[in-house]
């Protein structure tokens, strides 16, 4: 199975309005709710791709109960650890006139030392059956900033490949633990390295410890720098829609490609096609299989032979 970790899970709520205007009252035309947070989005996409997937992390309060009820309707196995605080909500307001989306993210619950210890025991037990693990997203209050470095070292000690998708100080410290793959976006990569040139920044991030770096570049697709070379995959034109969860779909593409032992160009093609299909979907973190297959055939991969 594939294990995903979401320490700051969320109940994702998407509102659709005819047009979003500041300082006015809006009539919502459609509401949808999904289990959210990066790792849960990744888990849902992995399950849709046919992989047995287990999700762990934290969930609590009435929001956490609603999240777990929705998760039970999916093919993802729930291994979330209960906490006393309430799981956060994220609100996406989709403007149907422009295709743009405004995102509002609540803070997560405070995690106590006892709750953290319970999670660590659950995580180590789950690693015993895992083929790969994704460590995803922001950290809730009370969790140590070096947590992803700790979890990466535990997975590597168990012989489980690690994909790291976070930002800021947790990313910097996590890289030093040598994850198999880091997946920052362009802004996170620039903040980490000080370089706004993606190829140079990805090479710098790899020197900091990751075996490979796959950087999301928005409309420009995704760039991967590995020990064997570097490639960029580009989607077919600019896509209007809701970008919530698109990066997480890309992570699912990369992680499924890892466990299936696909070539790097094929991993990137899958990741970019899934990401683009998610942008086009009406609800956050979803994708239409037909749209995905259509986009898969149109993604273009180019080689950067001097970047290894």
């Amino acid at each position: 199975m594939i294990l995903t970790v979401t320490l700051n899970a969320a109940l994702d709520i998407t509102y659709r309005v005819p047009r979003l205007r500041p300082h006015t009252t809006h009539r919502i035309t459609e509401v949808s709710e999904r289990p959210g947070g990066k790792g849960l989005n990744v888990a849902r996409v992995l399950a849709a791709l046919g992989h047995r997937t287990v999700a762990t992390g934290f969930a609590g309060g009435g929001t956490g109960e609603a999240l777990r009820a929705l998760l039970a309707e999916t093919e993802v196995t729930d291994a979330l650890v209960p906490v006393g605080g309430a799981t956060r909500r994220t609100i996406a307001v989709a403007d149907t006139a422009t295709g743009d989306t405004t995102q509002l993210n609540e803070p997560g619950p405070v995690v106590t030392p006892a709750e953290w210890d319970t999670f660590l025991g659950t995580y180590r037990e789950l690693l015993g059956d895992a083929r790969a693990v994704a460590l995803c997203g922001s950290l809730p209050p009370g969790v140590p900033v070096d947590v992803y470095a700790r979890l990466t070292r535990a997975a590597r000690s168990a012989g489980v490949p690690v994909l790291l998708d976070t930002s800021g100080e947790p990313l910097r410290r996590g890289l030093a633990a040598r994850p198999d793959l880091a997946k920052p976006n362009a802004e996170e990569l620039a903040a980490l390295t000080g370089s706004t040139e993606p190829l140079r920044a990805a090479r710098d991030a790899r020197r900091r410890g990751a075996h490979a770096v796959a950087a999301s570049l928005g409309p420009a697709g995704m760039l991967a720098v590995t020990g064997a070379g570097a490639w960029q995959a580009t989607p077919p034109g600019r896509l209007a829609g809701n970008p919530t969860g698109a990066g997480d779909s890309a992570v699912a593409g990369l992680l499924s490609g890892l466990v299936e032992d696909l070539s790097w160009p094929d991993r990137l093609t899958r990741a970019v096609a899934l990401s683009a299909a998610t942008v086009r979907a009406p609800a956050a973190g979803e994708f239409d299989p037909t749209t995905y297959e259509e986009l898969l055939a149109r993604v273009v991969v180019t080689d950067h032979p001097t970047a290894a």
Side-chain angles (χ1 to χ4, degrees):
M1 63 89 170
I2 299 176
L3 176 63
T4 70
V5 174
T6 312
L7 298 178
N8 209 8
L11 181 65
D12 282 347
I13 303 170
T14 301
Y15 294 142
R16 300 185 71 81
V17 298
R19 183 178 292 277
L20 181 63
R21 295 186 178 92
H23 317 300
T24 63
T25 299
H26 294 79
R27 185 174 297 278
I28 297 168
T29 58
E30 182 182 342
V31 181
S32 62
E33 294 184 343
R34 297 290 186 276
K38 283 182 172 293
L40 289 179
N41 291 337
V42 172
R44 286 204 318 277
V45 176
L46 285 169
L49 292 172
H51 288 275
R52 187 167 70 90
T53 309
V54 176
T56 190
F58 298 109
T63 314
E65 290 177 4
L67 181 154
R68 298 185 87 158
L70 290 168
L71 191 62
E73 299 175 3
T74 73
E75 298 299 318
V76 177
T77 299
D78 178 354
L80 295 168
V81 173
V83 292
T87 294
R88 66 191 180 123
R89 295 168 297 178
T90 64
I91 312 296
V93 183
D95 184 325
T96 56
T98 65
D100 294 330
T101 301
T102 299
Q103 188 79 18
L104 304 172
N105 295 338
E106 295 181 351
V110 175
V111 176
T112 68
E115 291 164 345
W116 174 245
D117 288 343
T118 299
F119 166 78
L120 281 178
T122 299
Y123 176 72
R124 293 189 177 109
E125 182 177 345
L126 290 169
L127 284 175
D129 191 35
R131 298 178 63 194
V133 59
L135 307 175
C136 302
S138 61
L139 304 182
V143 171
V145 72
D146 66 343
V147 60
Y148 285 135
R150 299 186 195 183
L151 298 182
T152 296
R153 285 192 289 267
R156 290 181 59 80
S157 295
V160 179
V162 179
L163 185 153
L164 176 62
D165 181 16
T166 188
S167 61
E169 188 64 11
L171 173 61
R172 188 184 70 80
R173 298 200 186 195
L175 287 176
R178 300 187 60 77
D180 295 85
L181 174 61
K183 207 289 300 174
N185 63 32
E187 291 182 0
E188 293 161 350
L189 195 59
L192 173 73
T193 66
S195 174
T196 57
E197 201 289 304
L199 186 58
R200 180 180 299 111
R203 295 179 70 180
D204 185 351
R206 185 170 176 268
R207 285 192 293 268
R208 293 167 186 254
H211 290 272
V213 175
S216 295
L217 305 178
M222 177 170 283
L223 170 71
V225 176
T226 78
W231 301 265
Q232 183 168 340
T234 307
R238 183 174 178 82
L239 302 171
N242 185 354
T244 304
D248 306 325
S249 290
V251 169
L254 293 170
L255 201 58
S256 61
L258 184 155
V259 299
E260 294 172 29
D261 199 27
L262 299 183
S263 69
W264 268 107
D266 286 346
R267 295 184 201 184
L268 288 177
T269 299
R270 178 182 290 182
V272 169
L274 281 169
S275 179
T278 300
V279 171
R280 285 189 174 180
E286 302 292 331
F287 74 95
D288 175 67
T290 301
T291 302
Y292 162 61
E293 292 293 340
E294 182 262 330
L295 290 166
L296 192 65
R298 298 172 60 200
V299 172
V300 176
V301 180
T302 55
D303 190 4
H304 292 281
T306 63

